[in-house]
Amino acid sequence: MNLNKIIGGLALAGMVGMAYGQETVVKIGHSGPLSGSQSFAGKDNENGARLAVEELNANPITVAGKKIKFELVSEDDQGDPKAGVNVAQKLVDSGVKFVVGPYNSGVAIPASRVYNDAGVIVATVGSNPKITEQGYKTLYRINASDTQLGSKMALYAAKELKLKNVAVIDDRTAYGQGVAEEFKKQAKASGMNVLGHEFTNDKASDFTAILTNLKSKKVEAVFLGGYAPQGGPMARQMKQLGLNAKLLGGDTICAAEMGKLGGDAVGENVLCAQGGAILDKAASGPEFKAKYKKRFNQDPDVYAASFYDGMMMFADAMKKSGSVDPVKVNAEIRKGSFKGVAGTYSFDEKGNMKQSPVTVFTFKNQQPVPLTSY
């Protein structure tokens, strides 16, 4: 009897081993600011990727006759270029061949070289045009670029808000400089006067001197090339100084964090441009928002849907190519098209989305609310 139990147990163990043998584990890297002032964005992005991984593991895809189990390897790049390069090397050394992130352009530019040299496929929301000007064939931007974000915010300011006199502040990061320059270029082309271009940094919190100077120039709007941790305090200080100008920005201030940091100084006076169509009007947008809230007990922020889509795009390309080999998966992404929550992902030669709508938001009750997409 005992011998039969032992034999039965060994047979069962063998069957379990066979089951594991039919499973392929694929590591997915995530690089983002999980600590510091931008951690709200990094965690949101990570959550988007995690939601996709969990869904895929609950209903696994089959590639080359084996079920795929995805493993998310998330690293904190602190929004810092040097740390981002170290994270990239760490992910490469651990065998990661697919990465969602980095979030920051200043991190994505140097880190992408490490990923490229190792043949890693990267899907980033970094918006500085330089990212995709490097010629890397495994690098994709899964949202609008600074060219689109900055220029469409300027077009909206000129055509819809009928503004004439504006100013620009940028935080000297790769993202801040890029989006500010694009806004300035289009503002001038649209007939607006750019009465000043001031500079700060992504750690600053006191903008009184800059804003006092701009108030004396009677500007109607200030465009911030920077992030919500600067945008919130800037809105407060504009109100305190009696600077009755609109605060404009790109995707990185289209976040609930703006309302948290700016309080009642953040309302319809703040407008921002974000890549992608209005999520509530996208076919699967409301379903995604509901799933995200159920899983993480909060609403998705700026790029959760994009990171979710990036992960799903990888899985879709693996399924279509019948391989987890990054060379074959990349060939599929290059030639194919994937319809996600936030957009349809098909890319040009440089790795930019062929079509990336931009949505303009304002704030109500300290929360970003979409106005229009174009």
Side-chain angles (χ1 to χ4, degrees):
M1 186 72 176
N2 287 341
L3 183 61
N4 286 340
K5 282 185 177 179
I6 292 169
I7 292 170
L10 289 171
L12 181 61
M15 287 171 67
V16 172
M18 285 173 63
Y20 278 117
Q22 298 303 309
E23 183 179 81
T24 300
V25 176
V26 177
K27 293 181 178 181
I28 303 294
H30 166 260
S31 170
L34 301 177
S35 62
S37 63
Q38 294 178 32
S39 61
F40 71 94
K43 294 285 177 59
D44 181 63
N45 299 339
E46 181 191 61
N47 287 346
R50 190 175 301 283
L51 184 62
V53 165
E54 290 175 355
E55 284 184 19
L56 288 163
N57 286 342
N59 295 285
I61 62 169
T62 300
V63 174
K66 292 186 177 182
K67 288 183 178 179
I68 304 299
K69 181 182 179 182
F70 293 103
E71 179 185 320
L72 187 65
V73 184
S74 186
E75 296 289 345
D76 180 14
D77 63 30
Q78 303 165 43
D80 176 75
K82 186 176 179 181
V85 169
N86 291 337
V87 161
Q89 194 60 58
K90 184 177 180 181
L91 290 173
V92 166
D93 291 344
S94 69
V96 167
K97 290 295 181 183
F98 306 91
V99 168
V100 283
Y103 166 69
N104 303 82
S105 292
V107 176
I109 292 169
S112 57
R113 180 175 182 177
V114 177
Y115 293 127
N116 176 73
D117 292 349
V120 174
I121 304 177
V122 177
T124 180
V125 296
S127 56
N128 190 295
K130 291 178 184 176
I131 294 170
T132 51
E133 295 291 334
Q134 301 175 97
Y136 299 149
K137 298 301 182 184
T138 57
L139 177 63
Y140 300 92
R141 190 200 319 279
I142 54 172
N143 70 305
S145 70
D146 288 345
T147 306
Q148 296 161 308
L149 295 170
S151 64
K152 290 195 174 181
M153 190 70 258
L155 282 169
Y156 188 87
K159 292 182 177 180
E160 307 298 331
L161 303 178
K162 311 291 186 188
L163 302 182
K164 287 295 181 187
N165 299 316
V166 298
V168 173
I169 301 172
D170 86 59
D171 67 359
R172 308 315 283 159
T173 63
Y175 165 76
Q177 291 180 57
V179 75
E181 286 298 336
E182 294 298 337
F183 174 87
K184 191 163 73 168
K185 191 189 305 179
Q186 185 60 56
K188 290 177 179 177
S190 298
M192 290 190 287
N193 303 309
V194 180
L195 300 183
H197 188 157
E198 303 285 346
F199 306 102
T200 182
N201 65 72
D202 62 348
K203 305 293 188 293
S205 59
D206 183 0
F207 311 99
T208 307
I210 292 173
L211 295 173
T212 299
N213 180 36
L214 295 180
K215 182 182 178 183
S216 69
K217 295 180 179 180
K218 296 183 169 56
V219 298
E220 298 168 279
V222 175
F223 181 88
L224 169 64
Y227 296 83
Q230 283 65 55
M234 189 174 290
R236 280 186 182 277
Q237 288 161 35
M238 288 172 71
K239 185 176 181 180
Q240 289 163 1
L241 290 167
L243 174 50
N244 296 315
K246 294 189 180 297
L247 178 59
L248 314 177
D251 52 336
T252 51
I253 73 165
C254 280
E257 193 75 3
M258 274 292 293
K260 288 181 186 175
L261 297 173
D264 61 3
V266 173
E268 293 181 358
N269 58 309
V270 179
L271 296 104
C272 52
Q274 179 184 322
I278 297 173
L279 206 55
D280 285 331
K281 294 184 179 179
S284 52
E287 180 191 358
F288 170 78
K289 288 177 72 174
K291 288 190 298 188
Y292 185 100
K293 187 157 190 175
K294 182 179 179 182
R295 172 64 178 86
F296 301 108
N297 199 32
Q298 62 187 53
D299 289 321
D301 214 325
V302 182
Y303 284 125
S306 298
F307 275 70
Y308 175 92
D309 284 351
M311 179 61 229
M312 288 300 192
M313 179 182 74
F314 288 157
D316 181 68
M318 290 173 194
K319 197 172 182 180
K320 287 177 178 174
S321 67
S323 176
V324 295
D325 178 351
V327 174
K328 294 179 179 177
V329 174
N330 191 59
E332 181 60 45
I333 294 173
R334 279 270 156 197
K335 72 179 183 183
S337 177
F338 172 70
K339 185 170 177 57
V341 175
T344 297
Y345 301 87
S346 59
F347 301 93
D348 63 17
E349 275 299 304
K350 292 181 178 180
N352 296 310
M353 288 176 69
K354 289 179 181 176
Q355 290 185 314
S356 181
V358 170
T359 297
V360 175
F361 286 73
T362 188
F363 284 78
K364 290 181 181 176
N365 299 318
Q366 283 85 59
Q367 296 292 317
V369 177
L371 291 172
T372 185
S373 292
Y374 62 102

